[in-house]
Amino acid sequence: MARQSVSPQITANILEFVRTNQMRAGEHLPCQMLADAFRVSRAPVNAALKKLEMMGIVRAEPNRGYFLAVDAANVEAAKPAGEPQREEEDPLYFRIAEDRLAGKLEERVSENELMRLYDVARSRLLKTLHRIAEEGWIERLPGNGWAFRETLTSRQSYEEGYVFRAVIEQQAMLLPTFRPNEDEFRKARAVQTALVEGGYETWSRAEIFKANNNFHEMLVACSQNDFFLDAIKRINRLRRLIEYHITIDRSRLPRQTSEHLHILDLVEAGRRTEAAAFLYTHIMGASRIKTPQV
Amino acid sequence: MARQSVSPQITANILEFVRTNQMRAGEHLPCQMLADAFRVSRAPVNAALKKLEMMGIVRAEPNRGYFLAVDAANVEAAKPAGEPQREEEDPLYFRIAEDRLAGKLEERVSENELMRLYDVARSRLLKTLHRIAEEGWIERLPGNGWAFRETLTSRQSYEEGYVFRAVIEQQAMLLPTFRPNEDEFRKARAVQTALVEGGYETWSRAEIFKANNNFHEMLVACSQNDFFLDAIKRINRLRRLIEYHITIDRSRLPRQTSEHLHILDLVEAGRRTEAAAFLYTHIMGASRIKTPQV
DNA sequence: CATTGCATTTTATGACTACAATATGTAATT
DNA sequence: AATTACATATTGTAGTCATAAAATGCAATG
C-alpha cells in the first residue's frame, strides 16, 4: 500500500474548471495548462482525464489530446452517474472533528492512541493533525501528544469568530489598496444570481456553502492584502466544519443572496463606506440568527 | 539516535519563570507546578532542574525538592557562564529561513531535496516545514513538494503586514469585549519602565523584541477574542524572522517605549478610542521608519 | 497530605526498505 | 511551435524495528 493519489481531487478540479469557465462541447483541454492551474505535473492530470473519458465527459483524440464531450451545463448531470454522491476529501479529518465535537476525544491525545483508534499510518495521521493545527483547533504539546483547543467546542468562540470575520472583512474593504476586480465581480454576480433563481433549492449544502465563502473571499482579495485574505480563508475552513453540523436554513438564502448582490452594487457605485458598513451588519446578522441552533 | 529532548527548552522556561515572577533565593520550586505551567510531565522538568543545579542556580534538598539558590535579579548573571550564549531553539528553521531570504532555495522544493541539503530525518524536516506553513510562508503542493510564498521575500508583503497589525490591534481595542487586565498592565508597565531605564542599551536583541511583542499581544489578549490574538501571534512570529535580519536601531527604542507607556495611560484613563487611534499610528509609524533598511 | 524519588509503561523519533504516484525529459505528431 | 505520448527518474507514503525521552503509578518522606 503506497500513498493515496491526488488524481481524484484533480478530476473534481477539472469538472469545476469546466463549469466556472462555462466551456462548450468540443473545446480543447490542454494537459499542461490544467497541470499549471492545479499546481501538479501532467501525470495526475492525465490520470484524471482518463477517468473522465470513461465517465463520458471528455473524448480522447490520438496525438491531439482530450476534448470536452458535453457542454458545461450538462457536466452536472453526467457527474453523479459515474461516481459516489460526493468524493470524500479527507475522511480522517471529519472523523476526528465529529468525535471531538461529540466529546468522544479527550482534550489531550497521543499520536499512538489516535493511530490505534482510527487505524491509519502515522504519516497520514500527522498530515491531518497538522492541517487541523493550521486551522487552529489543535496544537502540539512540547513533550508528547496534542491538545485540542476550545475553538471548536465552545459557544463563545463561535461568536468570537463572527466578530472577527465582520471586522476583518469590513476593514479590508476600507483599505486604501482596495480595488474591485471587474472580472471576479461579474463571476460572483453570475453565481449569486443563479442561487436566487432557484439554485438555493437544488444545490447541495456543500455547494451553497462554497459559493458563499467564495463570495466573501473574493471581496477580501480585492483589498490586495494577503494577510487579510489568509485570515479569512483560515476562519472559513473552520466555519465549514461547524456549519456542516447545522441543518442549513434554506429559507434564509434568498435574503442572504440579495444582500450579497446589494454589496456588489454599492461597491460598483463607489459607495465603499456604505458597502463596508452593510457588509459588517450582514455578517453579524448571520451570526445572530444561527447561534440559537448550536 | 533518538529524538531531541525538550528539557533544554524547559530549562530556559524555568529561568524565565523565575525572572518574571521575581522570585527570591530559597523559594521552593514544586515539580508538578512547573510541569503544569509548561504543559509537560514531571520527567523533563526534573531533567531541567538537575541541569540548573549543576549551573548553581537551584539547590536540591533530599526528599524536599529543588529550591532557588539566587535571587531572580542575579539569575541573569549566572546564566551565560554555564551554557552557550543563546540556546538554538530550532536551527533547521533558521537555516531554511536564511537560505530562502538569500535566494539559495528555489520557489519549489521537494522533501527529499531538503533532507539531503540539511542532512536531517524526514520527521524532523516535516515538523519544521509544518511550523513554517503555519506561519504562512510555505505551503504543501497537492502532488509532490512544497512552494514558498512571497510573504518573506517581497517588500510589499512586509508593508501589508504592518497594515494588518495596525488594523487588528486597533480594532481589538475597540471591541465591546475589551477589558484591560490590571495584573498584566502592571507587569507590562514594569517591563517597559525597565527598558526606558537603561534596558534598551544592555538587553539582547531577542529580549527587546520579545518584550515588544509581549506588550502588543497582551493588549490584544484584553479583547478576550482568541481569533484576534491568534492572528497577531501568527504575524509576530513572522516579523521576528525578518527583523532579526535588520540591525536594531536602539536610538528609536526610548520613543517606542514611551509610546507604549502612553497607550497604557490612555487605556487606564478610560480613553479607549484615543488609545486605539494612537496605537494605530504607533504601529504604522514603526513601519515607515524601518522599511528603507529592508 | 502534598511532594519527592524511583520504577515502569508508553510515546515518538530515526533508520531502513518497498513501491505506487508524481515529475520530467524527449521524440513524434499536429 | 505547441502539444501529446511514452519512457525514465524522482518523490513521498507505508511498514517495521530499535531506542531514548516523556508520561505515569506508587511507596517513601517531610
Side-chain angles (χ1 to χ4, degrees), chain B residues 218-270:
Chain B
M218 182 277 287
L219 276 186
V220 176
C222 293
S223 73
Q224 327 254 34
N225 187 315
D226 273 352
F227 292 94
F228 281 82
L229 183 55
D230 283 354
I232 284 299
K233 280 186 173 168
R234 179 170 295 115
I235 198 168
N236 275 348
R237 264 179 289 165
L238 199 63
R239 244 155 50 78
R240 188 185 54 162
L241 199 56
I242 297 176
E243 317 237 335
Y244 268 6
H245 283 260
I246 301 174
T247 21
I248 201 167
D249 181 359
R250 286 174 195 265
S251 71
R252 277 181 46 246
L253 287 172
R255 174 156 170 215
Q256 190 183 69
T257 310
S258 73
E259 289 189 353
H260 286 169
L261 289 169
H262 185 51
I263 291 168
L264 294 178
D265 289 340
L266 285 174
V267 172
E268 286 186 330

Side-chain angles (χ1 to χ4, degrees), chain B residues 1 3 30-31 42 63-64 123-124 127 144:
Chain B
M1 203 181 300
R3 73 170 128 176
C31 184
R42 300 183 323 250
N63 283 319
R64 297 194 58 226
S123 48
R124 219 172 112 41
K127 212 173 202 175
N144 288 351

Side-chain angles (χ1 to χ4, degrees), chain A residues 1 3 31 42 63-64 121 123-124 127 144:
Chain A
M1 201 184 300
R3 71 171 129 176
C31 182
R42 299 182 323 251
N63 282 320
R64 296 193 60 226
S123 49
R124 220 172 112 43
K127 212 172 202 176
N144 288 350

Side-chain angles (χ1 to χ4, degrees), chain A residues 26-216:
Chain A
E27 283 195 63
H28 188 28
L29 288 168
C31 182
Q32 186 66 60
M33 182 265 284
L34 293 172
D36 291 344
F38 309 136
R39 313 186 73 183
V40 294
S41 74
R42 299 182 323 251
V45 173
N46 273 319
L49 285 170
K50 213 161 275 173
K51 208 181 301 169
L52 286 173
E53 189 189 12
M54 293 198 304
M55 291 164 66
I57 293 175
V58 302
R59 231 181 17 246
E61 292 189 19
N63 282 320
R64 296 193 60 226
Y66 290 91
F67 296 81
L68 196 56
V70 294
D71 285 348
N74 302 335
V75 164
E76 201 76 38
K79 189 177 60 177
E83 289 286 295
Q85 204 78 345
R86 205 186 91 210
E87 83 286 358
E88 296 255 334
E89 200 198 343
D90 185 355
L92 179 59
Y93 173 84
F94 286 104
R95 286 174 70 193
I96 294 177
E98 301 245 1
D99 287 351
R100 176 55 185 164
L101 283 167
K104 285 179 195 163
L105 287 172
E106 294 295 319
E107 192 218 329
R108 292 190 178 202
V109 289
S110 76
E111 291 172 16
N112 284 2
E113 195 181 331
L114 293 174
M115 282 170 66
R116 286 191 297 264
L117 189 57
Y118 297 111
D119 190 35
V120 292
R122 176 167 255 117
S123 49
R124 220 172 112 43
L125 175 71
L126 284 181
K127 212 172 202 176
T128 303
L129 288 180
H130 278 122
R131 177 186 166 189
I132 295 176
E134 259 195 87
E135 290 178 6
W137 49 282
I138 207 172
E139 57 187 342
R140 185 72 231 264
L141 290 168
N144 288 350
W146 298 69
F148 285 104
R149 298 182 61 192
E150 281 199 329
T151 327
L152 264 193
T153 44
S154 103
R155 156 74 175 271
Q156 191 194 344
S157 59
Y158 179 82
E159 283 166 19
E160 286 175 5
Y162 269 90
V163 173
F164 185 73
R165 276 183 69 212
V167 167
I168 293 287
E169 294 200 21
Q170 181 198 35
Q171 294 294 317
M173 191 172 276
L174 293 173
L175 289 182
T177 48
F178 185 92
R179 249 205 68 191
N181 179 322
E182 286 184 29
D183 237 50
E184 295 294 330
F185 264 54
R186 195 170 340 105
K187 281 184 196 165
R189 203 178 277 279
V191 171
Q192 297 296 316
T193 308
L195 255 176
V196 172
E197 292 170 356
Y200 60 84
E201 279 172 336
T202 57
W203 292 15
S204 76
R205 188 160 56 161
E207 285 169 326
I208 292 175
F209 193 78
K210 194 170 188 180
N212 191 346
N213 273 3
N214 282 348
F215 176 84
H216 285 278

Side-chain angles (χ1 to χ4, degrees), chain B residues 1-186:
Chain B
M1 203 181 300
R3 73 170 128 176
Q4 62 177 16
S5 169
V6 287
S7 69
Q9 186 54 242
I10 301 292
T11 310
N13 286 354
I14 294 177
L15 288 174
E16 198 192 328
F17 180 88
V18 165
R19 234 178 301 142
T20 62
N21 287 62
Q22 310 196 4
M23 295 179 70
R24 307 200 151 266
E27 282 195 63
H28 188 27
L29 288 168
C31 184
Q32 185 68 58
M33 183 265 283
L34 292 172
D36 291 344
F38 309 137
R39 314 185 75 183
V40 293
S41 73
R42 300 183 323 250
V45 173
N46 273 321
L49 285 170
K50 213 161 272 174
K51 208 182 302 169
L52 287 173
E53 189 189 12
M54 294 198 303
M55 292 164 65
I57 292 175
V58 302
R59 232 181 18 245
E61 292 190 19
N63 283 319
R64 297 194 58 226
Y66 290 91
F67 296 81
L68 196 56
V70 293
D71 285 348
N74 303 334
V75 163
E76 201 75 40
K79 188 176 61 177
E83 288 287 294
Q85 205 77 346
R86 206 185 92 212
E87 83 287 357
E88 296 255 334
E89 198 198 343
D90 186 354
L92 179 59
Y93 173 84
F94 285 105
R95 286 174 72 192
I96 294 177
E98 301 243 1
D99 286 350
R100 176 56 184 163
L101 282 167
K104 286 178 195 162
L105 287 173
E106 294 296 318
E107 193 218 330
R108 290 190 180 204
V109 289
S110 76
E111 290 172 16
N112 285 1
E113 195 181 330
L114 293 173
M115 282 170 67
R116 286 191 298 264
L117 189 58
Y118 297 111
D119 190 36
V120 292
R122 175 167 256 116
S123 48
R124 219 172 112 41
L125 175 71
L126 284 181
K127 212 173 202 175
T128 303
L129 288 180
H130 278 121
R131 177 185 165 189
I132 295 176
E134 260 193 87
E135 290 178 6
W137 49 283
I138 208 171
E139 57 187 343
R140 185 73 231 266
L141 291 168
N144 288 351
W146 298 69
F148 285 104
R149 300 181 60 193
E150 281 199 329
T151 326
L152 263 193
T153 46
S154 104
R155 155 74 174 271
Q156 192 194 343
S157 59
Y158 179 82
E159 283 166 20
E160 285 175 6
Y162 269 90
V163 173
F164 185 74
R165 277 183 69 210
V167 167
I168 292 287
E169 295 200 21
Q170 182 198 32
Q171 294 294 317
M173 192 172 276
L174 292 174
L175 289 182
T177 47
F178 185 92
R179 247 205 71 191
N181 179 321
E182 285 185 29
D183 236 51
E184 296 293 330
F185 264 54
R186 196 170 338 106

